[in-house]
Amino acid sequence: MPTSRSYGDACATARALDVVGERWALLVVRELLLGPQRFSDVRRALPGASSNLVTDRLRELEGHGVVARRKLPPPAASTVYELTEWGRELEPIVLALGAWAARVPLPEPATLGATSMLLFLRGSARPRTAACYRVELDSRVWTIRTEPGRLTVEPGEPASPDATIRTDPPTLNALLECPQDLDAAITDGRIMVTGDLKAVRRLLKEHEG
């Protein structure tokens, strides 16, 4: 059930937690940082949360003005959730919280979702050339574009990618740490690459671990 609990504290930190402090709320925000998502996409990205819980968090965030619903025009005609302008102001807070938690031990077992992986790539990439990639992670398609000093990520199909990458988030994470393992990963089927292989090698190497 949605919650209306409040700390009843005038401190701005407490008031912020009244809005985004419920369990899973900030992870819902994280999933929307790269662009609008359908409910099914958000739900699939948070396997530890029930459908009802994700529904409650989205409803609460919408009620607070952090998230908005929008219906896509035909032929898609599906409803997506996206951050409002105020909600997008949470991005540096969410990213800073992740950086702060670097010393927290990983849970076991631990999952790694597509959004987390792509946010990490976006923040650590230092590209030197322009390129466009179609990246499919866990059956979701993303467009990655690079230009000197900047990498952008958005959901959906690119018009004319230089290369296509199909893999899973743990494999992509491993290849960012060890780009020299790309050929072996292609051979054993952990990643599929079509198009400009050199561009893919650059994407993996132009990154700060």
Side-chain angles (χ1 to χ4, degrees):
M1 293 292 292
T3 180
S4 58
R5 292 181 297 184
S6 171
Y7 288 103
D9 189 322
C11 170
T13 301
R15 287 184 283 131
L17 291 174
D18 283 345
V19 176
V20 296
E22 288 294 329
R23 186 167 173 79
W24 298 100
L26 278 179
L27 295 187
V28 169
V29 170
R30 179 197 68 190
E31 290 305 312
L32 300 178
L33 289 179
L34 295 177
Q37 300 290 342
R38 297 172 301 174
F39 175 85
S40 58
D41 294 325
V42 178
R43 170 68 183 86
R44 181 170 50 181
L46 303 173
S50 68
S51 293
N52 287 343
L53 195 152
V54 174
T55 298
D56 289 345
R57 292 297 91 89
L58 284 167
R59 185 182 298 126
E60 292 161 6
L61 291 167
E62 185 180 3
H64 285 297
V66 175
V67 166
R69 272 183 295 176
R70 176 166 58 90
K71 191 161 187 176
L72 297 177
S78 59
T79 298
V80 294
Y81 292 86
E82 60 189 349
L83 295 174
T84 63
E85 183 177 350
W86 188 46
R88 287 194 294 272
E89 292 176 13
L90 283 166
E91 178 168 346
I93 298 168
V94 172
L95 297 181
L97 190 62
W100 175 81
R103 286 182 285 180
V104 177
L106 286 172
E108 293 187 8
T111 61
L112 179 63
T115 301
S116 298
M117 184 64 254
L118 293 171
L119 286 170
F120 172 71
L121 174 61
R122 189 187 66 178
S124 61
R126 300 293 181 267
R128 294 187 292 273
T129 57
C132 178
Y133 305 85
R134 180 189 187 273
V135 178
E136 184 175 338
L137 297 173
D138 292 343
S139 301
R140 295 171 64 187
V141 176
W142 306 82
T143 297
I144 293 181
R145 291 187 175 88
T146 63
E147 58 187 71
R150 185 167 182 258
L151 182 148
T152 60
V153 183
E154 60 186 35
E157 296 275 357
S160 53
D162 297 295
T164 295
I165 300 168
R166 183 179 180 185
T167 186
D168 54 67
T171 297
L172 181 56
N173 185 57
L175 289 173
L176 288 174
E177 296 300 322
C178 298
Q180 65 272 18
D181 292 342
L182 176 60
D183 290 336
I186 293 173
T187 299
D188 64 26
R190 286 180 292 139
I191 184 172
M192 296 178 62
V193 175
T194 57
D196 189 345
L197 183 59
K198 289 183 179 179
V200 175
R201 294 190 194 280
R202 288 198 303 270
L203 179 67
L204 297 176
K205 291 179 179 179
E206 294 176 347
H207 146 81
E208 286 188 359

